[in-house]
Each structure stands twice: as C-alpha cells, then as structure tokens.
Amino acid sequence: MPAGHPDVVLASGSPRRRELLGSLGVPFQVVVSGEDEDSAETDPARLAAELALLKGRSVAGLHPESVVLAADTVVACEGVLLAKPADVAENEAFLRVLSGRSHQVFTGVAALCGAEEQVQVARTDVTFRPLTDAEISFYARSGEGMDKAGGYGIQALGASLVSRVEGEYTNVVGFPLSVVITLLRRAGVPVWGEVHGA
C-alpha cells in the first residue's frame, strides 16, 4: 500500500471474497477469523451485521494499524434463516424450501480501524425457478452448496437454479462491492486510485 494509506486485512478465508477484493486493485493480506459464527439474533439484517463485526473484531485486535474488512452472509426465506447445510440431506431440504420462491440474501460488511468501526448491510432478493427432485438431488450431491449460506452458490452451477435477481449480484456471492468500496474509501484506502471525496 502506498505511504500514507493503511494496510488492508481481509478477515475471511472465502476464495470468492478474496477474488472480488483483488478486483478493486487493493493490496491486502488474509487473516482468517477464528470467531464462532453464533448469535441469538433472529433478524437477518441485524444478524449479518453482528456476525461481520464479531469476525472483524477478532482480527482487528491483532492488526490495530490496519483496516480490517469482514463480511457475513445470511439467507432468509419467508422468515426462516438458512445457514450452511450440515450435510447433503439438509442441502436438499434447503433447496426444496427455495424452489419456486423468492428469498433474501443479506451480507453485512464491517470495516474496522483502531477504535473506529463501520458496518453496512446489503440486501438482494433472489428467485429460484421451480426445481425437480432430480435437479435438487444432483445439485446437493455436487457439493457446491455445502459451505454456503442457503446451500447454493450463484457464481457457478447454482446460477442454473436462479430465475431472477433484484439487487446487487456480488452481494449474493457474499461481498457486495458497492458497500466494500464505500467503506474502504471512507477508511482512507484508495480503490482504483481514489479515496473518499476524491
């Protein structure tokens, strides 16, 4: 990072988040948060914000001079939270819930630098086309959805499950770039050579 600009630490092991942050021309290092993703919060937007802050705080203490970016994605369908499926059977159950319905994807992004904390939440509405039992079984057995909230990933095979996206696509991937760019620039980190107000 050029002199005068803070270093950036991404508190996530997600290869998708690494790829998206790298696309912004921002040098960064990865320090995976060991924070347990657990909360009693049931509102999906507040939960996404809370978990992002928890992840960020667990890394920010070790890097007080850096801007620490953390994110957490929550999927909700008709008031039910769908986390990462525990196994193929649960992945199939999630897909049956989502089939032919719209659901909401919330990603909380936190930027922490010293004592300063900022957090924003993006929302995208996603509609699945009606899925057959064979499609549900095939996708669940592919393993693609096992490490993802809601049990699917939109950026690969899972794109074939989706009929409509209302909102930011990168939010569904788990890293809403409009929010990330805003928070980085506010923290004094240049994105594509520009800081906040430039």
Side-chain angles (χ1 to χ4, degrees):
M1 183 67 69
H5 298 302
D7 292 328
V8 175
V9 174
L10 177 63
S12 173
S14 162
R16 297 165 297 280
R17 290 178 180 141
R18 287 201 299 268
E19 181 182 352
L20 286 168
L21 183 56
S23 74
L24 301 180
V26 175
F28 64 95
Q29 62 172 307
V30 173
V31 179
V32 179
S33 164
E35 189 64 36
D36 187 25
E37 297 180 25
D38 192 28
S39 170
E41 180 59 67
T42 57
D43 176 82
R46 288 197 296 265
L47 177 62
E50 181 181 311
L51 293 178
L53 278 170
L54 286 173
K55 287 179 179 179
R57 286 170 183 158
S58 72
V59 172
L62 305 172
H63 300 270
E65 303 301 316
S66 300
V67 174
V68 175
L69 268 186
D72 195 89
T73 301
V74 175
V75 173
C77 184
E78 297 180 4
V80 177
L81 298 177
L82 301 178
K84 297 174 183 176
D87 51 33
V88 170
E90 187 170 45
N91 203 160
E92 289 183 348
F94 284 6
L95 295 173
R96 286 193 183 91
V97 169
L98 297 174
S99 175
R101 292 191 180 99
S102 293
H103 62 276
Q104 293 72 48
V105 179
F106 298 89
T107 301
V109 181
L112 304 90
C113 187
E116 187 174 339
E117 297 181 346
Q118 300 181 75
V119 63
Q120 289 188 16
V121 179
R123 170 183 166 160
T124 303
D125 289 14
V126 179
T127 303
F128 270 27
R129 62 182 178 80
L131 306 176
T132 67
D133 288 342
E135 287 173 331
I136 287 171
S137 176
F138 183 91
Y139 186 79
R141 285 185 289 108
S142 78
E144 183 180 89
M146 291 302 295
D147 64 339
K148 298 174 182 69
Y152 76 97
I154 197 171
Q155 66 275 16
L157 181 61
S160 65
L161 310 176
V162 174
S163 63
R164 184 180 176 94
V165 176
E166 297 173 77
E168 190 169 356
Y169 170 82
T170 54
N171 180 45
V172 188
V173 180
F175 209 54
L177 289 181
S178 66
V179 172
V180 172
I181 290 167
T182 297
L183 293 179
L184 283 174
R185 285 179 171 162
R186 281 185 189 164
V189 176
V191 177
W192 296 330
E194 288 187 334
V195 293
H196 186 61

